[in-house]
Amino acid sequence: MTSTKDAPETLQDLETLLKNDNKVKVAGIDVDGVLRGKFMSKEKFLSAASSDGFGFCSVIFGWDIHDTVYSRELLISNKANGYRDILASIDLSTYRRIPWENNVPFFLVSFLDPDTKEPLVVDPRGILKITSDRAAKSHRSCYAGVEYEYFNFKETPVSLAEKKFQNLTPITPGMHGYSLLRTQLNNEYFHSIFDEASKFGVDIEGHHTETGPGVLETALAYTNALRMADNAILFKFLTKSIGMQHGVLPTFMAKPWGNLPGCSGHTHVSLRDDSGKNIFAVSEAELLTGRPGAANDDMVSLMLVPTINGYKRLVGGEAFWAPNAITYGYDSRAASIRTISPPSVPSAATRLEIRVPGADMNPYFTISAIFLLGLRGIEKKLKLSTPPMSKLTADDKKNGTIKMLPTSLEAATERMMRPESIAREKSMFGDVFVEHFGGTREHEVKVWNEAVTNWEVERYIELA
């Protein structure tokens, strides 16, 4: 695990760090990737840090993104167990201070089963720790990077409600990818994201405008997989917090507008051996002859695209480089899996870029799915089942050579919850996770199916 700068290693270190503080902010992550946390007094926090943790209401795993209890009872939190407390274990390695909140100390927590003290498999941090441990048993370490695209509006939560989420004003008009000029219009906000992220321990590699009205793209620095997922979640928290100070509301929903590109959450991954060498890196000989690869006969797409809206980005997304098929290719932005290797980058930087996820992904689940599938392919020595993008034709989708991804949350959920689903394998996510997470997605589908949209009213109210 990659600790943050100045992270305490002992309780004495912790007490020294907090000697001038009277409170601490803590947070965990729910299945939708939403930070759920609170302030604690320093005394209460130190007591929890010196033990297994503190009680945290399990209801965060019993309700949805808008705090509505799930349509059917799920295992972790329900009426039968009284929505009991689970154990929140403080991760001292995540120590940082929130610069825009008077430098209040901040720590992430992981959720444990209160009886066994084992990581809660449905906890996003828990499943990624389990994934990393499985890789470690085969002498491999997981590394990742995340890029976010996100629209930015001159709005507030209040104005959103007053406008009924329509006719929103972007911070800049027009399509201006990689524009140095457009950032001058919101210069302070643009720079604050980068600068405050650095202070917050969320390192940024690249930060620029992307095509679309008011769209920015930020690439987070490559690091250990768990630290990367933490940074990805905290980057959203940071950006939204900085936005509030500048009258800007950023959104990471995957497809805000039907006629414009969506927002991606491209995820880069590689594996390293015990010496720290990137095992994806190719030798000089392999540059000439290539290397046989490993593939999977299924995609756990629900883990990459977890929302109703996310599939709107993929349906017809090829026009905007949002792939919706099981494809791969060398340095191909049209492929779902883009192989980045020499001569585009140094051999040590060889990696896979998974281009399917939108910005609304849960990075812990996405990164876990990628690595678990990859390790499965390596262990089973699975062969690539289709040719690369460079050898595919326009007719390959029609003739079935290219397998398409699910086009809806409902289809993806049904696929993952099948009895024979790869996701159910013990070496993957397992039945407990699938039943819980799948149940949360079934709830999301149910809520969507019950909703009457503006599109329906406009289309049918007069003429039907």
Side-chain angles (χ1 to χ4, degrees):
M1 183 185 300
T2 305
S3 300
T4 58
K5 183 182 179 182
D6 300 325
E9 296 184 2
T10 67
L11 190 60
Q12 184 175 357
D13 291 342
L14 179 62
E15 291 175 344
T16 301
L17 275 175
L18 303 180
K19 65 180 181 180
N20 295 322
D21 299 290
N22 66 349
K23 62 182 180 295
V24 180
K25 180 170 276 192
V26 297
I29 297 95
D30 70 13
V31 297
D32 288 295
V34 175
L35 282 170
R36 302 281 189 171
K38 61 182 178 180
F39 275 117
M40 298 177 69
S41 70
K42 181 170 71 173
E43 292 72 26
K44 173 71 173 178
F45 176 83
L46 289 173
S47 174
S50 64
S51 63
D52 290 327
F54 62 94
F56 202 109
C57 184
S58 66
V59 73
I60 65 167
F61 294 106
W63 62 22
D64 65 15
I65 197 170
H66 283 285
D67 295 5
T68 299
V69 175
Y70 290 125
S71 306
R72 65 179 175 88
E73 298 270 279
L74 300 177
L75 180 64
I76 307 302
S77 182
N78 51 53
K79 291 179 183 177
N81 64 25
Y83 301 98
R84 66 172 184 168
D85 277 358
I86 50 180
L87 200 59
S89 175
I90 299 164
D91 189 342
L92 296 183
S93 74
T94 65
Y95 164 75
R96 47 186 32 96
R97 288 180 179 269
I98 306 177
W100 60 91
E101 286 192 45
N102 297 320
N103 280 324
V104 65
F106 175 84
F107 293 83
L108 287 169
V109 304
S110 294
F111 295 110
L112 310 180
D113 184 289
D115 298 320
T116 67
K117 307 297 192 298
E118 292 295 317
L120 203 62
V121 71
V122 302
D123 170 32
R125 297 193 87 237
I127 192 63
L128 188 47
K129 283 182 179 178
I130 292 170
T131 299
S132 298
D133 289 345
R134 287 178 186 166
K137 288 179 181 178
S138 61
H139 304 286
R140 299 180 178 99
S141 299
C142 303
Y143 283 78
V146 168
E147 303 170 5
Y148 278 129
E149 296 170 350
Y150 47 105
F151 281 80
N152 296 270
F153 300 101
K154 293 180 180 178
E155 304 290 349
T156 68
V158 173
S159 71
L160 277 183
E162 290 175 344
K163 290 184 172 185
K164 301 187 184 302
F165 303 90
Q166 298 181 37
N167 302 316
L168 308 184
T169 304
I171 58 173
T172 58
M175 313 287 273
H176 295 276
Y178 299 99
S179 171
L180 295 185
L181 185 62
R182 269 298 187 264
T183 59
Q184 305 303 310
L185 294 174
N186 302 275
N187 213 13
E188 190 174 349
Y189 169 64
F190 180 76
H191 281 277
S192 290
I193 292 173
F194 197 108
D195 296 341
E196 297 301 286
S198 179
K199 297 174 189 175
F200 194 42
V202 177
D203 294 332
I204 290 175
E205 285 189 349
H207 185 48
H208 60 87
T209 63
E210 183 53 275
T211 190
V215 181
L216 298 177
E217 178 174 348
T218 307
L220 305 181
Y222 209 67
T223 186
N224 166 279
L226 181 57
R227 175 71 187 277
M228 183 70 261
D230 288 344
N231 285 357
I233 284 292
L234 293 176
F235 177 76
K236 289 186 177 181
F237 170 60
L238 173 148
T239 304
K240 293 175 182 180
S241 298
I242 299 302
M244 289 178 182
Q245 297 178 349
H246 294 274
V248 175
L249 192 145
T251 179
F252 292 82
M253 71 179 292
K255 188 73 170 176
W257 312 116
N259 61 342
L260 291 172
C263 297
S264 71
H266 295 157
T267 305
H268 298 244
V269 297
S270 70
L271 285 168
R272 297 184 184 180
D273 61 21
D274 288 342
S275 69
K277 180 183 177 181
N278 182 357
I279 67 172
F280 286 5
V282 292
S283 65
E284 292 297 322
E286 288 171 327
L287 283 175
L288 300 175
T289 61
R291 175 191 287 180
N296 297 287
D297 55 5
D298 201 356
M299 282 279 285
V300 187
S301 58
L302 189 64
M303 309 305 298
L304 309 184
V305 188
T307 68
I308 291 288
N309 181 254
Y311 291 86
K312 300 292 180 69
R313 172 177 164 269
L314 297 183
V315 175
E318 290 170 316
F320 301 118
W321 290 341
N324 61 347
I326 301 177
T327 53
Y328 67 95
Y330 170 72
D331 205 11
S332 173
R333 285 183 168 83
S336 291
I337 301 175
R338 174 191 176 205
T339 302
I340 304 174
S341 64
S344 294
V345 298
S347 181
T350 300
R351 61 194 184 274
L352 301 178
E353 179 189 44
I354 315 304
R355 296 179 58 80
V356 174
D360 60 351
M361 67 163 180
N362 184 322
Y364 300 92
F365 292 164
T366 292
I367 293 172
S368 293
I370 293 167
F371 280 113
L372 288 175
L373 284 168
L375 292 169
R376 181 180 184 274
I378 292 171
E379 291 164 3
K380 292 180 176 291
K381 295 181 170 56
L382 299 176
K383 300 297 182 181
L384 292 168
S385 58
T386 59
M389 287 290 291
S390 59
K391 296 184 179 180
L392 295 174
T393 69
D395 292 328
D396 283 332
K397 284 187 178 180
K398 297 177 182 179
N399 60 33
T401 301
I402 298 177
K403 295 181 180 179
M404 303 303 295
L405 297 173
T407 57
S408 70
L409 182 65
E410 184 171 15
T413 301
E414 290 175 353
R415 187 169 181 176
M416 190 184 81
M417 295 192 75
R418 293 173 304 157
E420 68 275 18
S421 168
I422 286 175
R424 290 186 179 275
E425 294 178 6
K426 290 182 179 181
S427 61
M428 291 293 292
F429 291 98
D431 284 331
V432 172
F433 180 93
V434 169
E435 286 301 319
H436 181 86
F437 184 65
T440 72
R441 298 308 92 185
E442 287 177 335
H443 167 82
E444 202 76 6
V445 171
K446 181 177 185 293
V447 173
W448 164 249
N449 286 339
E450 292 171 349
V452 177
T453 66
N454 290 338
W455 181 89
E456 292 169 275
V457 175
E458 292 173 9
R459 191 168 185 85
Y460 301 122
I461 194 166
E462 179 187 2
L463 301 176

mmCIF file of all heavy atoms in Angstrom, residues 105-129:
data_model
loop_
_atom_site.group_PDB
_atom_site.id
_atom_site.type_symbol
_atom_site.label_atom_id
_atom_site.label_comp_id
_atom_site.label_asym_id
_atom_site.label_seq_id
_atom_site.Cartn_x
_atom_site.Cartn_y
_atom_site.Cartn_z
ATOM 1 N N PRO A 105 -7.831 17.483 9.830
ATOM 2 C CA PRO A 105 -7.314 16.161 9.485
ATOM 3 C C PRO A 105 -8.416 15.252 8.956
ATOM 4 O O PRO A 105 -9.572 15.323 9.406
ATOM 5 C CB PRO A 105 -6.733 15.643 10.799
ATOM 6 C CG PRO A 105 -7.357 16.463 11.868
ATOM 7 C CD PRO A 105 -7.684 17.785 11.267
ATOM 8 N N PHE A 106 -8.048 14.387 8.033
ATOM 9 C CA PHE A 106 -9.023 13.534 7.346
ATOM 10 C C PHE A 106 -8.444 12.141 7.174
ATOM 11 O O PHE A 106 -7.271 11.973 6.821
ATOM 12 C CB PHE A 106 -9.359 14.133 5.982
ATOM 13 C CG PHE A 106 -10.274 13.287 5.131
ATOM 14 C CD1 PHE A 106 -11.641 13.353 5.299
ATOM 15 C CD2 PHE A 106 -9.758 12.421 4.179
ATOM 16 C CE1 PHE A 106 -12.496 12.572 4.519
ATOM 17 C CE2 PHE A 106 -10.593 11.642 3.400
ATOM 18 C CZ PHE A 106 -11.962 11.711 3.569
ATOM 19 N N PHE A 107 -9.271 11.121 7.406
ATOM 20 C CA PHE A 107 -8.878 9.727 7.220
ATOM 21 C C PHE A 107 -10.026 8.970 6.548
ATOM 22 O O PHE A 107 -11.203 9.230 6.820
ATOM 23 C CB PHE A 107 -8.581 9.039 8.550
ATOM 24 C CG PHE A 107 -7.371 9.559 9.266
ATOM 25 C CD1 PHE A 107 -7.460 10.696 10.068
ATOM 26 C CD2 PHE A 107 -6.147 8.912 9.164
ATOM 27 C CE1 PHE A 107 -6.354 11.177 10.744
ATOM 28 C CE2 PHE A 107 -5.026 9.388 9.833
ATOM 29 C CZ PHE A 107 -5.123 10.519 10.630
ATOM 30 N N LEU A 108 -9.673 8.021 5.700
ATOM 31 C CA LEU A 108 -10.656 7.091 5.147
ATOM 32 C C LEU A 108 -10.767 5.882 6.065
ATOM 33 O O LEU A 108 -9.827 5.529 6.790
ATOM 34 C CB LEU A 108 -10.236 6.639 3.747
ATOM 35 C CG LEU A 108 -10.383 7.678 2.635
ATOM 36 C CD1 LEU A 108 -9.690 7.210 1.365
ATOM 37 C CD2 LEU A 108 -11.852 7.982 2.357
ATOM 38 N N VAL A 109 -11.922 5.252 6.022
ATOM 39 C CA VAL A 109 -12.138 4.027 6.792
ATOM 40 C C VAL A 109 -12.493 2.895 5.840
ATOM 41 O O VAL A 109 -12.959 3.118 4.721
ATOM 42 C CB VAL A 109 -13.261 4.199 7.846
ATOM 43 C CG1 VAL A 109 -12.957 5.364 8.771
ATOM 44 C CG2 VAL A 109 -14.626 4.374 7.179
ATOM 45 N N SER A 110 -12.245 1.684 6.305
ATOM 46 C CA SER A 110 -12.729 0.486 5.628
ATOM 47 C C SER A 110 -13.732 -0.179 6.551
ATOM 48 O O SER A 110 -13.605 -0.108 7.782
ATOM 49 C CB SER A 110 -11.568 -0.468 5.329
ATOM 50 O OG SER A 110 -10.672 0.094 4.401
ATOM 51 N N PHE A 111 -14.734 -0.820 5.982
ATOM 52 C CA PHE A 111 -15.796 -1.418 6.790
ATOM 53 C C PHE A 111 -15.546 -2.916 6.971
ATOM 54 O O PHE A 111 -15.234 -3.635 6.020
ATOM 55 C CB PHE A 111 -17.150 -1.177 6.135
ATOM 56 C CG PHE A 111 -17.525 0.280 6.091
ATOM 57 C CD1 PHE A 111 -17.557 0.977 4.891
ATOM 58 C CD2 PHE A 111 -17.817 0.965 7.266
ATOM 59 C CE1 PHE A 111 -17.886 2.326 4.853
ATOM 60 C CE2 PHE A 111 -18.154 2.315 7.235
ATOM 61 C CZ PHE A 111 -18.179 2.996 6.032
ATOM 62 N N LEU A 112 -15.678 -3.353 8.227
ATOM 63 C CA LEU A 112 -15.437 -4.744 8.591
ATOM 64 C C LEU A 112 -16.711 -5.375 9.130
ATOM 65 O O LEU A 112 -17.588 -4.690 9.669
ATOM 66 C CB LEU A 112 -14.346 -4.838 9.668
ATOM 67 C CG LEU A 112 -13.033 -4.096 9.427
ATOM 68 C CD1 LEU A 112 -12.094 -4.312 10.610
ATOM 69 C CD2 LEU A 112 -12.370 -4.540 8.133
ATOM 70 N N ASP A 113 -16.789 -6.694 8.983
ATOM 71 C CA ASP A 113 -17.866 -7.434 9.615
ATOM 72 C C ASP A 113 -17.657 -7.353 11.128
ATOM 73 O O ASP A 113 -16.574 -7.657 11.627
ATOM 74 C CB ASP A 113 -17.833 -8.898 9.160
ATOM 75 C CG ASP A 113 -18.984 -9.701 9.708
ATOM 76 O OD1 ASP A 113 -18.980 -9.965 10.934
ATOM 77 O OD2 ASP A 113 -19.878 -10.086 8.942
ATOM 78 N N PRO A 114 -18.669 -6.921 11.895
ATOM 79 C CA PRO A 114 -18.471 -6.731 13.329
ATOM 80 C C PRO A 114 -18.192 -8.024 14.089
ATOM 81 O O PRO A 114 -17.626 -7.985 15.192
ATOM 82 C CB PRO A 114 -19.787 -6.088 13.787
ATOM 83 C CG PRO A 114 -20.784 -6.476 12.747
ATOM 84 C CD PRO A 114 -20.029 -6.567 11.462
ATOM 85 N N ASP A 115 -18.567 -9.155 13.505
ATOM 86 C CA ASP A 115 -18.363 -10.446 14.176
ATOM 87 C C ASP A 115 -17.001 -11.055 13.846
ATOM 88 O O ASP A 115 -16.262 -11.484 14.732
ATOM 89 C CB ASP A 115 -19.474 -11.423 13.797
ATOM 90 C CG ASP A 115 -20.849 -10.929 14.233
ATOM 91 O OD1 ASP A 115 -20.952 -10.372 15.344
ATOM 92 O OD2 ASP A 115 -21.797 -11.090 13.451
ATOM 93 N N THR A 116 -16.658 -11.067 12.557
ATOM 94 C CA THR A 116 -15.420 -11.731 12.134
ATOM 95 C C THR A 116 -14.235 -10.786 12.044
ATOM 96 O O THR A 116 -13.092 -11.237 11.981
ATOM 97 C CB THR A 116 -15.615 -12.391 10.759
ATOM 98 O OG1 THR A 116 -15.809 -11.370 9.765
ATOM 99 C CG2 THR A 116 -16.818 -13.326 10.759
ATOM 100 N N LYS A 117 -14.498 -9.479 11.988
ATOM 101 C CA LYS A 117 -13.467 -8.452 11.797
ATOM 102 C C LYS A 117 -12.794 -8.561 10.428
ATOM 103 O O LYS A 117 -11.744 -7.976 10.194
ATOM 104 C CB LYS A 117 -12.400 -8.510 12.898
ATOM 105 C CG LYS A 117 -12.927 -8.474 14.324
ATOM 106 C CD LYS A 117 -13.647 -7.196 14.642
ATOM 107 C CE LYS A 117 -13.923 -7.043 16.130
ATOM 108 N NZ LYS A 117 -14.795 -8.095 16.673
ATOM 109 N N GLU A 118 -13.400 -9.318 9.522
ATOM 110 C CA GLU A 118 -12.884 -9.448 8.160
ATOM 111 C C GLU A 118 -13.423 -8.313 7.294
ATOM 112 O O GLU A 118 -14.490 -7.764 7.582
ATOM 113 C CB GLU A 118 -13.302 -10.794 7.551
ATOM 114 C CG GLU A 118 -12.656 -12.007 8.205
ATOM 115 C CD GLU A 118 -11.160 -12.034 7.990
ATOM 116 O OE1 GLU A 118 -10.719 -11.749 6.851
ATOM 117 O OE2 GLU A 118 -10.423 -12.329 8.954
ATOM 118 N N PRO A 119 -12.693 -7.943 6.195
ATOM 119 C CA PRO A 119 -13.196 -6.891 5.298
ATOM 120 C C PRO A 119 -14.584 -7.230 4.781
ATOM 121 O O PRO A 119 -14.857 -8.374 4.405
ATOM 122 C CB PRO A 119 -12.170 -6.882 4.162
ATOM 123 C CG PRO A 119 -10.918 -7.407 4.768
ATOM 124 C CD PRO A 119 -11.367 -8.435 5.775
ATOM 125 N N LEU A 120 -15.456 -6.249 4.787
ATOM 126 C CA LEU A 120 -16.807 -6.428 4.257
ATOM 127 C C LEU A 120 -16.696 -6.495 2.735
ATOM 128 O O LEU A 120 -16.236 -5.547 2.099
ATOM 129 C CB LEU A 120 -17.677 -5.256 4.692
ATOM 130 C CG LEU A 120 -19.184 -5.447 4.746
ATOM 131 C CD1 LEU A 120 -19.550 -6.523 5.767
ATOM 132 C CD2 LEU A 120 -19.860 -4.137 5.106
ATOM 133 N N VAL A 121 -17.121 -7.605 2.152
ATOM 134 C CA VAL A 121 -16.872 -7.819 0.731
ATOM 135 C C VAL A 121 -17.586 -6.800 -0.148
ATOM 136 O O VAL A 121 -17.144 -6.508 -1.263
ATOM 137 C CB VAL A 121 -17.255 -9.264 0.329
ATOM 138 C CG1 VAL A 121 -18.766 -9.445 0.353
ATOM 139 C CG2 VAL A 121 -16.686 -9.631 -1.035
ATOM 140 N N VAL A 122 -18.690 -6.228 0.343
ATOM 141 C CA VAL A 122 -19.414 -5.233 -0.460
ATOM 142 C C VAL A 122 -18.854 -3.822 -0.258
ATOM 143 O O VAL A 122 -19.265 -2.896 -0.960
ATOM 144 C CB VAL A 122 -20.927 -5.234 -0.159
ATOM 145 C CG1 VAL A 122 -21.518 -6.613 -0.416
ATOM 146 C CG2 VAL A 122 -21.211 -4.779 1.263
ATOM 147 N N ASP A 123 -17.956 -3.652 0.701
ATOM 148 C CA ASP A 123 -17.295 -2.364 0.891
ATOM 149 C C ASP A 123 -16.321 -2.144 -0.253
ATOM 150 O O ASP A 123 -15.458 -2.990 -0.497
ATOM 151 C CB ASP A 123 -16.551 -2.370 2.228
ATOM 152 C CG ASP A 123 -15.643 -1.163 2.412
ATOM 153 O OD1 ASP A 123 -15.985 -0.078 1.888
ATOM 154 O OD2 ASP A 123 -14.588 -1.299 3.065
ATOM 155 N N PRO A 124 -16.432 -1.039 -0.987
ATOM 156 C CA PRO A 124 -15.537 -0.824 -2.121
ATOM 157 C C PRO A 124 -14.058 -0.940 -1.768
ATOM 158 O O PRO A 124 -13.284 -1.575 -2.501
ATOM 159 C CB PRO A 124 -15.904 0.594 -2.578
ATOM 160 C CG PRO A 124 -17.350 0.727 -2.218
ATOM 161 C CD PRO A 124 -17.477 0.008 -0.919
ATOM 162 N N ARG A 125 -13.641 -0.363 -0.642
ATOM 163 C CA ARG A 125 -12.237 -0.484 -0.243
ATOM 164 C C ARG A 125 -11.919 -1.933 0.136
ATOM 165 O O ARG A 125 -10.810 -2.431 -0.101
ATOM 166 C CB ARG A 125 -11.905 0.447 0.929
ATOM 167 C CG ARG A 125 -12.060 1.922 0.612
ATOM 168 C CD ARG A 125 -11.430 2.814 1.678
ATOM 169 N NE ARG A 125 -10.009 3.052 1.397
ATOM 170 C CZ ARG A 125 -9.023 2.765 2.231
ATOM 171 N NH1 ARG A 125 -9.273 2.183 3.396
ATOM 172 N NH2 ARG A 125 -7.770 3.036 1.908
ATOM 173 N N GLY A 126 -12.907 -2.620 0.722
ATOM 174 C CA GLY A 126 -12.699 -4.003 1.134
ATOM 175 C C GLY A 126 -12.433 -4.925 -0.044
ATOM 176 O O GLY A 126 -11.505 -5.744 -0.011
ATOM 177 N N ILE A 127 -13.243 -4.799 -1.115
ATOM 178 C CA ILE A 127 -13.069 -5.705 -2.255
ATOM 179 C C ILE A 127 -11.770 -5.417 -2.991
ATOM 180 O O ILE A 127 -11.114 -6.331 -3.495
ATOM 181 C CB ILE A 127 -14.288 -5.642 -3.216
ATOM 182 C CG1 ILE A 127 -14.247 -6.794 -4.229
ATOM 183 C CG2 ILE A 127 -14.353 -4.311 -3.937
ATOM 184 C CD1 ILE A 127 -14.340 -8.169 -3.634
ATOM 185 N N LEU A 128 -11.342 -4.160 -3.024
ATOM 186 C CA LEU A 128 -10.076 -3.858 -3.689
ATOM 187 C C LEU A 128 -8.897 -4.358 -2.858
ATOM 188 O O LEU A 128 -7.874 -4.790 -3.409
ATOM 189 C CB LEU A 128 -9.956 -2.365 -3.975
ATOM 190 C CG LEU A 128 -8.762 -1.928 -4.828
ATOM 191 C CD1 LEU A 128 -8.592 -2.802 -6.065
ATOM 192 C CD2 LEU A 128 -8.893 -0.466 -5.236
ATOM 193 N N LYS A 129 -9.012 -4.338 -1.530
ATOM 194 C CA LYS A 129 -7.967 -4.923 -0.687
ATOM 195 C C LYS A 129 -7.887 -6.427 -0.918
ATOM 196 O O LYS A 129 -6.793 -7.000 -0.995
ATOM 197 C CB LYS A 129 -8.257 -4.625 0.794
ATOM 198 C CG LYS A 129 -7.924 -3.204 1.220
ATOM 199 C CD LYS A 129 -8.189 -3.009 2.702
ATOM 200 C CE LYS A 129 -7.830 -1.599 3.155
ATOM 201 N NZ LYS A 129 -8.125 -1.386 4.603
#
